[in-house]
Amino acid sequence: MSKEYVAFVRIPDSLTGTISQLKQRAESSLVRDAKLSPGDRTEAVRFENLHATIDQIATAAMLDKEAHCFISDDSEVARYVSEKSGITVLSSADSADGHLPNEVRSWLTSGGVVVELLLPHGSGTVEGHVNNDTPPIAPAKRWKSSATGVRAAAKERFEDTVISALQSKTGNSSISPSGVSNRVLTDTLHKYCGVQANHIRRDVPVVYRDGSSGPEFPLGALNMREPSWKDPQILRFTLLSIRHVEMDSLVDGAWLRNTRISRSREAGLTDRIVFDQSRRQLKSLDLTTPTVIEMYQTGLETAIIGFYRAVALHLLDHPGTIAVRPMFFVGGSRFEPSRRIWAT
């Protein structure tokens, strides 16, 4: 059995200048990180690299035979250190911290520089309680597709998760749009976002492949119908800019900026950004004029989920004001209108 220890390493005087410089650069990186856009990890990566260098120097100093190192196996000290955020370089300003061992505080009082290191694999025993009366967790129910092709199986699987979420008695089921094609995702959501005869409305969690979550999606909520407007306003958008520049002369604009949406970040965060922006833009439309939006879209799951969640909630708040017709990319510069229109 292994146990977590904390090592407090007093840095030799010859290296304190280097550690202080690395600490200052790491602190500056944290300040810059707080000013970045959501999902931009540039400074986070820089901070991690700087702190990895600090840890490497401390580890090398700890292995020196003449090193000053205090190792604590106190679980409370280990928990306190593991929960701290920021930089684990201690100086005289930290000498009053009551969680620190007395020997470490005396080093700091005398002007020493100390680095905290977590040692997760030390030898020892961990107290625990085993309940022999609790049976093992049953294996998950196997799902098997009746389809013969990969795309058809993916469609069937996604639809099955949506149905399971609607039928869930506990309300803890979720849907996962990761890897689902543009058309399947949009049409399936349309089908089950409409009022269902045998199911009540459920706001279902959306969980992506990377483990992140977006806002809940309303299923079984809308009375979908084809609009009967005579002269509606028609607006044409590409869902994301840059994806199909040949469409620029045919559309009124891009709903989302590709440079902002297609960044490396958690999928759930991208979903939320798309959703929030779409809600604002839909609310900015003139609700006294019926509007048909033709949305030319390609497959970015987070953009599709975020946009149509915003559409669904807008239709719940303002029924009969807008209609959205998806336009699916079919190759070259060709798009095909969906047979399912989002309207109430």
Side-chain angles (χ1 to χ4, degrees):
M1 187 71 73
S2 64
K3 187 173 182 179
E4 190 169 57
Y5 291 80
V6 180
F8 297 93
V9 183
R10 181 169 182 173
I11 302 300
D13 293 341
S14 60
L15 294 174
T16 55
T18 301
I19 290 291
S20 297
Q21 289 179 4
L22 290 169
K23 177 184 178 183
Q24 185 177 9
R25 291 170 60 189
E27 289 173 339
S28 298
S29 186
L30 288 178
V31 172
R32 291 192 297 270
D33 180 70
K35 301 176 182 178
L36 294 179
S37 302
D40 189 337
R41 298 193 70 252
T42 306
E43 293 299 331
V45 172
R46 193 191 312 278
F47 172 82
E48 290 169 359
N49 290 334
L50 289 166
H51 215 293
T53 304
I54 293 173
D55 291 346
Q56 289 168 2
I57 293 174
T59 301
M62 180 179 67
L63 298 176
D64 191 309
K65 293 181 179 180
E66 299 180 359
H68 294 278
C69 179
F70 183 91
I71 297 179
S72 172
D73 63 351
D74 189 322
S75 59
E76 286 300 313
V77 174
R79 183 182 63 81
Y80 171 71
V81 172
S82 66
E83 292 178 353
K84 289 173 66 175
S85 60
I87 302 164
T88 60
V89 178
L90 307 178
S91 59
S92 57
D94 301 292
S95 60
D97 190 339
H99 291 88
L100 299 176
N102 292 332
E103 186 173 348
V104 176
R105 294 170 65 184
S106 67
W107 293 344
L108 297 174
T109 302
S110 63
V113 174
V114 176
V115 175
E116 297 170 327
L117 291 176
L118 281 173
L119 308 177
H121 302 300
S123 60
T125 58
V126 178
E127 295 181 1
H129 175 70
V130 178
N131 186 354
N132 295 322
D133 297 330
T134 303
I137 299 174
K141 181 181 178 181
R142 183 183 180 189
W143 182 87
K144 187 175 181 180
S145 173
S146 61
T148 56
V150 175
R151 292 186 179 180
K155 176 180 183 298
E156 186 179 346
R157 177 57 176 159
F158 180 64
E159 188 165 5
D160 183 73
T161 62
V162 174
I163 294 172
S164 297
L166 275 169
Q167 294 177 341
S168 173
K169 295 181 179 180
T170 59
N172 57 3
S173 296
S174 62
I175 59 174
S176 178
S178 298
V180 182
S181 70
N182 173 21
R183 187 188 292 264
V184 168
L185 188 56
T186 307
D187 283 350
T188 305
L189 289 175
H190 179 281
K191 179 179 178 180
Y192 292 98
C193 192
V195 171
Q196 305 292 308
N198 300 321
H199 307 294
I200 61 172
R201 169 181 170 176
R202 287 191 184 277
D203 292 89
V204 179
V206 177
V207 180
Y208 290 91
R209 185 179 293 155
D210 62 3
S212 62
S213 301
E216 294 180 336
F217 200 99
L219 296 178
L222 296 173
N223 289 301
M224 297 283 197
R225 64 176 180 83
E226 287 280 341
S228 56
W229 306 322
K230 291 184 178 180
D231 296 304
Q233 173 183 226
I234 299 178
L235 299 176
R236 298 178 176 88
F237 293 98
T238 57
L239 184 58
L240 285 167
S241 64
I242 309 301
R243 290 294 178 96
H244 290 279
V245 293
E246 67 274 9
M247 296 293 299
D248 288 354
S249 61
L250 304 177
V251 298
D252 299 301
W255 191 260
L256 303 167
R257 292 184 62 189
N258 190 62
T259 53
R260 182 169 185 240
I261 302 304
S262 299
R263 294 182 180 178
S264 297
R265 61 166 77 92
E266 288 186 346
L269 180 55
T270 298
D271 176 345
R272 190 175 298 275
I273 291 171
V274 172
F275 172 62
D276 291 342
Q277 181 174 332
S278 297
R279 284 287 275 170
R280 292 194 301 270
Q281 291 175 182
L282 289 171
K283 289 178 180 179
S284 70
L285 296 173
D286 182 1
L287 299 182
T288 63
T289 303
T291 301
V292 174
I293 298 175
E294 293 183 355
M295 187 58 71
Y296 293 79
Q297 59 190 62
T298 49
L300 180 63
E301 302 98 324
T302 49
I304 293 169
I305 286 282
F307 172 69
Y308 283 105
R309 183 192 298 105
V311 170
L313 294 181
H314 185 86
L315 289 171
L316 285 169
D317 294 338
H318 310 285
T321 57
I322 67 166
V324 177
R325 184 179 296 280
M327 305 292 288
F328 298 126
F329 178 67
V330 293
S333 59
R334 296 180 298 113
F335 283 78
E336 179 180 278
S338 173
R339 291 174 296 177
R340 297 181 174 89
I341 189 167
W342 293 67
T344 55

